[in-house]
Amino acid sequence: MTELEFLKFYDKNVRVILNDGTSITGYVYTFTRSVDSDTGIASISLESSEGYIEIMQNDVKKITITP
């Protein structure tokens, strides 16, 4: 998934499946570009039932928009 594809999920409710099979559902309230990140990797931040979670682009297997 490219950084531009990753960006399209900003300000949306999503379901994220991580590379390890973990599934997280929540609202994407922040998108950080790779050039603005200390690690050089883009990320999204979700507000979910588990709290606030930052997910790095390279940890994502699949993202889908949920209603």
Side-chain angles (χ1 to χ4, degrees):
M1 174 178 302
T2 67
E3 192 167 320
L4 285 176
E5 291 170 325
F6 206 52
L7 173 61
K8 75 179 181 181
F9 298 105
Y10 173 70
D11 197 30
K12 305 269 191 290
N13 290 307
V14 298
R15 179 174 181 240
V16 180
I17 299 175
L18 302 178
N19 292 329
D20 67 2
T22 304
S23 176
I24 304 168
T25 303
Y27 172 74
V28 180
Y29 70 92
T30 302
F31 169 78
T32 303
R33 299 179 318 154
S34 58
V35 296
D36 295 327
S37 169
D38 292 337
T39 62
I41 301 169
S43 68
I44 56 174
S45 296
L46 294 181
E47 181 178 355
S48 73
S49 61
E50 292 122 25
Y52 295 96
I53 302 167
E54 180 179 27
I55 301 173
M56 306 307 284
Q57 181 180 7
N58 61 331
D59 291 332
V60 175
K61 182 175 184 178
K62 182 178 179 181
I63 303 178
T64 54
I65 296 173
T66 60

